[in-house]
Amino acid sequence: MEYTVKKLAALAGISARTLRYYDELGLLKPARISSSGYRIYGQKEVDTLQQILFYRELGVELERIKEIITSPEFDMTSALIEHREKLLAKRKQLDILIANVERTIAFAEGRTQMSDKEKFEGFKQNMIDENEKKYGEEIRKKYGDEKVDQSYRQFKNMTKEEFNKWQELEKQIKETLKEAFLTGDPSGELAQKAADLHKQWISCSWGSYSKEAHAGLAQMYVADERFREYYDKEQLGLAEFLRDAILIYTGMKEK
Amino acid sequence: MEYTVKKLAALAGISARTLRYYDELGLLKPARISSSGYRIYGQKEVDTLQQILFYRELGVELERIKEIITSPEFDMTSALIEHREKLLAKRKQLDILIANVERTIAFAEGRTQMSDKEKFEGFKQNMIDENEKKYGEEIRKKYGDEKVDQSYRQFKNMTKEEFNKWQELEKQIKETLKEAFLTGDPSGELAQKAADLHKQWISCSWGSYSKEAHAGLAQMYVADERFREYYDKEQLGLAEFLRDAILIYTGMKEK
DNA sequence: CTTGACCTTTACGCAACGTAAAGGTGTAAG
DNA sequence: CTTACACCTTTACGTTGCGTAAAGGTCAAG
């Protein structure tokens, strides 16, 4: 299939000017020029344009895109896989923004508290990592946490001490779990310690404890993406690892 | 709390230049100017900036944003609700793009066919609404859901039938629960039906079932915000209501 | 053979800042 | 006390990714 500027533009949902501009930059040259000077694009150009638009969507500058796709090491398939990852990350950021707007609505209606910092959650691009690295926990402690904790405690109707213990346990579980994950053995000492910490953790919020409930929740950690993501975003496979550790801990699984 | 340019910029994840530019445009004026000529922002400005960034995120021009937020009919809460809708629409578009990149990967590997038109699905902006109106659920079913479901199924290692049942149950639980919520009685017939559906639901992903596990999970529904939000975003208090219904269903609570 | 929808190049315009330049301010440490 | 340094100010020009004319050539249909 061959396309003129207007036709390719219509197909891709961009303007003809954009295509001429891309030609001018040397980013996307037409396959050939017709006898009357018209730009004619072919199959290869269609695919390249798709790549360009993926990069553009992700906020890459046109000059940089040119460098990337004209590089001899450029591989279509691995580029696509990278696009996928980046798009998923973008979606996560969007999810944070949506959570933000929902929280802000609740705040406007007086249903909850909200710190100034929380009001801008999800806007920052890669600032997320930067902030974490630069200031570590400090900023969060200073502005956000006390208020946030307050509202969480309300829901969990815990005392401040109970809540602190709960939070501390959560941190310990994650740390122990990540360390245990490196051993690869869910029946090992570290993994079993994580499972024990996890038992204490759920005992905090449930009044009681039972092996069955614990094992059941472990299953849920893998089955339900709300939980799975929470652990897997730290380390892929961590949710599954925790499940196995708990199943062994509760005696629901051998070895 | 009062902020200088740099501090507010850091809070919101933008540059100081941007704040000065917004001042220049008359989009966001500081609350006052210090004796030495410094811009000082207050609480009101923080909230306005949040609004501005929501609009900016949605691609609205600064001049237009100025018109909107300085309009006498401007209502914060309804604006936020609109933001939420737009952001959800944006997420839908992103989902289409993600489905596109996944399809393109499959195409590059020769696992499927793909038309030129399909290669640009998800790039176009307002095409979203058009697509929704024109094809309704069809496109999503065809491209989006199937791929998404596939990856979920992998993690849950369910067959397609099991997965469909699981999804169907989830929908029924929500519907029944919302209806039951209106009666206000967690021991009533509808609420108990929801609890029973919920039992079936967890039986799908856990191999087994126990009352203790079920009751434990119910506690977690209120204690853990990951779960709580899932139900409370439908209707505030729904998570708590479900917990009570399940506790009664499992005989862990009287009345 | 004319009309209208396409195509061409050239060129200026614009939004939303980034990036210096040149200078004043605030405060903590030597 | 002053010196350093991180902040603040205004002014002003630069950049990216196009939009939008202007002035003209091309092509298929009626």
Side-chain angles (χ1 to χ4, degrees):
Chain A
M1 183 67 179
E2 296 206 315
Y3 299 95
T4 57
V5 257
K6 196 81 188 293
K7 280 183 186 162
L8 181 55
L11 180 71
I14 59 179
S15 74
R17 172 70 173 101
T18 300
L19 282 176
R20 292 199 195 95
Y21 182 58
Y22 289 177
D23 183 9
E24 191 187 325
L25 288 184
L27 180 58
L28 183 69
K29 296 263 180 210
R32 62 187 183 85
I33 305 289
S34 81
S35 60
S36 46
Y38 287 19
R39 291 173 179 81
I40 308 292
Y41 296 90
Q43 191 55 54
K44 205 183 122 201
E45 286 71 32
V46 171
D47 292 341
T48 306
L49 180 57
Q50 190 203 22
Q51 283 292 323
I52 292 170
L53 292 186
F54 272 124
Y55 281 111
R56 192 183 72 162
E57 182 72 23
L58 294 165
V60 181
E61 282 176 27
L62 298 184
E63 268 305 320
R64 181 87 190 92
I65 299 178
K66 186 181 165 185
E67 282 175 32
I68 294 170
I69 61 176
T70 60
S71 156
E73 299 115 61
F74 177 72
D75 175 50
M76 182 96 159
T77 310
S78 54
L80 285 166
I81 288 167
E82 207 184 316
H83 293 329
R84 189 169 149 263
E85 275 172 41
K86 293 277 170 63
L87 288 170
L88 286 171
K90 202 176 169 183
R91 206 180 96 146
K92 264 190 191 170
Q93 196 212 340
L94 239 181
D95 282 339
I96 294 172
L97 244 178
I98 291 168
N100 182 343
V101 85
E102 279 171 358
R103 256 189 83 92
T104 309
I105 291 171
F107 176 65
E109 289 170 352
R111 287 193 281 112
T112 183
Q113 280 300 96
M114 198 171 189
S115 73
D116 282 353
K117 198 209 165 192
E118 289 173 309
K119 288 175 188 168
F120 296 101
E121 221 129 280
F123 284 119
K124 305 161 195 185
Q125 315 273 50
N126 50 0
M127 285 295 249
I128 315 161
D129 324 306
E130 269 188 57
N131 270 334
E132 291 292 323
K133 272 178 199 155
K134 257 189 190 163
Y135 306 100
E137 299 282 274
E138 282 182 286
I139 285 188
R140 210 178 318 162
K141 262 190 190 135
K142 216 167 163 187
Y143 297 123
D145 271 11
E146 180 51 28
K147 292 251 169 101
V148 180
D149 291 1
Q150 221 170 42
S151 71
Y152 282 174
R153 281 209 307 275
Q154 264 181 20
F155 270 107
K156 290 174 190 130
N157 57 330
M158 287 180 182
T159 69
K160 196 161 180 171
E161 287 72 34
E162 284 172 334
F163 182 76
N164 282 340
K165 190 186 160 194
W166 201 70
Q167 289 249 303
E168 188 50 42
L169 276 169
E170 198 168 350
K171 251 172 68 185
Q172 279 183 38
I173 291 169
K174 265 196 192 170
E175 281 169 27
T176 314
L177 202 56
K178 276 196 265 188
E179 229 178 299
F181 186 79
L182 297 175
T183 72
D185 177 19
S187 68
E189 201 183 318
L190 269 171
Q192 289 305 297
K193 189 186 161 195
D196 187 64
L197 285 168
H198 191 262
K199 169 191 169 176
Q200 291 177 246
W201 183 70
I202 59 172
S203 302
C204 272
S205 53
W206 313 4
S208 59
Y209 173 81
S210 79
K211 279 186 179 180
E212 290 78 12
H214 197 184
L217 190 64
Q219 295 284 6
M220 194 58 99
Y221 272 30
V222 175
D224 195 300
E225 69 266 20
R226 282 167 284 167
F227 272 127
R228 187 165 41 72
E229 267 182 31
Y230 181 68
Y231 290 102
D232 274 7
K233 79 177 175 194
E234 300 275 327
Q235 166 75 56
L236 202 67
L238 206 59
E240 212 167 333
F241 186 79
L242 176 59
R243 180 199 60 184
D244 291 340
I246 293 174
L247 289 181
I248 292 164
Y249 180 82
T250 56
M252 300 296 182
K253 193 178 175 184
E254 291 106 68
K255 224 203 128 193
Chain B
M1 183 67 177
E2 297 206 315
Y3 300 94
T4 58
V5 257
K6 197 82 189 291
K7 279 182 186 162
L8 182 55
L11 181 72
I14 57 179
S15 74
R17 172 69 171 101
T18 301
L19 281 176
R20 292 199 194 95
Y21 182 57
Y22 288 178
D23 182 9
E24 191 187 325
L25 288 184
L27 180 57
L28 183 69
K29 295 264 181 208
R32 64 190 181 82
I33 305 289
S34 83
S35 61
S36 47
Y38 288 18
R39 290 174 179 80
I40 309 291
Y41 297 89
Q43 192 55 54
K44 206 184 122 201
E45 286 71 33
V46 170
D47 293 340
T48 307
L49 180 57
Q50 190 204 22
Q51 283 292 323
I52 291 170
L53 292 186
F54 272 125
Y55 281 111
R56 191 183 73 162
E57 182 72 23
L58 295 166
V60 181
E61 283 177 26
L62 298 185
E63 268 306 320
R64 181 90 189 92
I65 298 178
K66 186 181 164 185
E67 282 175 32
I68 293 170
I69 62 176
T70 59
S71 156
E73 299 115 62
F74 177 72
D75 175 49
M76 183 98 160
T77 310
S78 54
L80 284 166
I81 289 166
E82 208 184 317
H83 293 329
R84 188 169 150 261
E85 275 171 40
K86 293 275 170 62
L87 287 171
L88 286 171
K90 201 175 170 183
R91 201 176 72 163
K92 266 186 196 169
Q93 194 211 342
L94 239 181
D95 282 339
I96 295 172
L97 241 177
I98 291 167
N100 181 344
V101 85
E102 279 172 357
R103 251 188 86 91
T104 309
I105 291 171
F107 176 65
E109 289 169 352
R111 288 193 280 111
T112 181
Q113 279 301 97
M114 198 170 188
S115 73
D116 282 354
K117 196 185 163 197
E118 288 173 310
K119 287 175 188 169
F120 296 101
E121 209 95 42
F123 284 119
K124 302 159 197 185
Q125 313 279 54
N126 52 2
M127 285 296 246
I128 315 159
D129 322 307
E130 271 185 56
N131 272 334
E132 288 291 322
K133 275 177 200 157
K134 259 189 192 162
Y135 307 101
E137 298 284 274
E138 281 181 287
I139 286 187
R140 208 177 320 158
K141 262 189 191 137
K142 213 169 164 188
Y143 301 124
D145 277 9
E146 178 53 29
K147 283 281 156 73
V148 180
D149 291 0
Q150 220 170 43
S151 70
Y152 282 172
R153 279 209 308 275
Q154 261 180 20
F155 270 105
K156 293 180 186 123
N157 56 331
M158 287 180 182
T159 68
K160 197 161 178 169
E161 287 70 32
E162 284 172 334
F163 182 76
N164 282 340
K165 189 187 162 193
W166 201 69
Q167 288 249 305
E168 188 52 42
L169 275 169
E170 198 168 350
K171 250 172 67 184
Q172 278 183 38
I173 291 168
K174 265 196 192 170
E175 280 169 26
T176 313
L177 203 56
K178 275 197 267 188
E179 229 178 299
F181 186 78
L182 297 175
T183 71
D185 178 20
S187 67
E189 201 183 321
L190 268 170
Q192 290 305 299
K193 191 188 162 195
D196 188 64
L197 285 167
H198 191 262
K199 170 191 168 175
Q200 291 177 248
W201 184 70
I202 60 173
S203 302
C204 272
S205 51
W206 315 4
S208 58
Y209 174 80
S210 80
K211 280 186 179 181
E212 290 79 12
H214 196 183
L217 189 64
Q219 296 283 6
M220 196 57 100
Y221 272 30
V222 175
D224 197 301
E225 68 268 19
R226 283 168 282 168
F227 271 126
R228 186 165 42 72
E229 268 181 31
Y230 180 69
Y231 289 103
D232 273 8
K233 81 178 176 194
E234 299 276 327
Q235 166 75 56
L236 200 69
L238 207 59
E240 213 168 331
F241 186 79
L242 176 58
R243 180 199 60 185
D244 291 339
I246 292 173
L247 289 181
I248 293 165
Y249 180 83
T250 56
M252 300 295 180
K253 194 179 174 183
E254 293 107 66
K255 220 205 132 189

